[in-house]
Amino acid sequence: MNQIIDRYNSHSKILKKADEPSQLDLHEDSNCARLRDELAEASLWLQQMRGEELQSLNVQQLQALEKSLESGLGSVLKTKSQKIMDQISELENKRVQLIEENARLKEQASKMEMQVAADSPVVYEEGQSSESVTNTSYPRPPLDTEDSSDTSLRLGLPLFNSK
């Protein structure tokens, strides 16, 4: 009989311990509550940064929020300006490369024209110059003299262009 009572008592003690929260459970619950509070604060701060939920702020908090937003905006504008300047630099480098390639291709075309002209006999009609024969033999599109030599990069409104 004593054995049965001892087993009952030891079994009921084990059940009581299982019903009581352990230290680990209490620690996890406190961490969860702390993280939930941090998430709520961060959500509120994000809403306030978007201009929402501002009614609960006093004047000093509003001024601090304004200063934070101005600082962030300054950083955004600085980064944007730097990226635009980088793009302009890349485009300028590309423009120089294209000008060099254009000059190389013109020189190559000129050499080819000279070679073809040397290889084929040219019969001049009376009153015809060698330039007009070349132009007749190898027609080129007319050069737009107004814009063809202007390779500068223009920024700004059309109102302020020099043309």
Side-chain angles (χ1 to χ4, degrees):
M1 186 67 132
N2 283 337
Q3 281 181 335
I4 293 173
I5 293 173
D6 286 341
R7 277 192 305 177
Y8 172 77
N9 286 336
S10 66
H11 184 66
S12 59
K13 286 180 184 177
I14 291 173
L15 287 177
K16 285 181 183 178
K17 284 185 180 178
D19 288 341
E20 294 176 9
S22 69
Q23 289 292 341
L24 183 60
D25 289 340
L26 292 175
H27 182 68
E28 286 178 0
D29 287 345
S30 68
N31 276 345
C32 185
R34 181 181 55 79
L35 290 174
R36 196 175 310 118
D37 291 342
E38 286 180 20
L39 178 62
E41 285 178 29
S43 295
L44 179 62
W45 179 78
L46 183 59
Q47 287 176 334
Q48 290 171 344
M49 292 293 278
R50 284 192 226 141
E52 303 166 0
E53 302 295 327
L54 299 176
Q55 300 83 4
S56 62
L57 299 177
N58 63 30
V59 174
Q60 289 176 338
Q61 291 169 327
L62 287 170
Q63 287 174 336
L65 179 62
E66 180 183 18
K67 185 176 180 181
S68 175
L69 288 171
E70 286 174 351
S71 167
L73 180 61
S75 178
V76 167
L77 291 174
K78 181 179 177 183
T79 304
K80 180 181 126 183
S81 296
Q82 183 59 46
K83 288 191 181 255
I84 288 173
M85 294 306 293
D86 291 345
Q87 286 180 343
I88 289 172
S89 178
E90 287 175 20
L91 290 172
E92 182 65 24
N93 289 338
K94 187 174 181 178
R95 182 188 71 84
V96 168
Q97 289 174 348
L98 289 172
I99 289 172
E100 290 171 356
E101 183 178 358
N102 191 21
R104 184 182 54 79
L105 290 172
K106 282 182 181 178
E107 183 180 322
Q108 209 174 34
S110 175
K111 285 181 183 178
M112 289 177 71
E113 283 179 4
M114 292 172 80
Q115 184 180 16
V116 169
D119 291 345
S120 64
V122 177
V123 178
Y124 295 103
E125 293 181 15
E126 193 173 318
Q128 190 176 26
S129 70
S130 62
E131 183 179 319
S132 64
V133 170
T134 304
N135 288 342
T136 306
S137 303
Y138 307 103
R140 293 185 212 157
L143 294 176
D144 184 8
T145 57
E146 188 173 315
D147 289 326
S148 65
S149 64
D150 184 15
T151 57
S152 64
L153 178 62
R154 292 191 195 128
L155 300 175
L157 298 173
L159 179 66
F160 299 111
N161 282 348
S162 60
K163 290 186 178 181

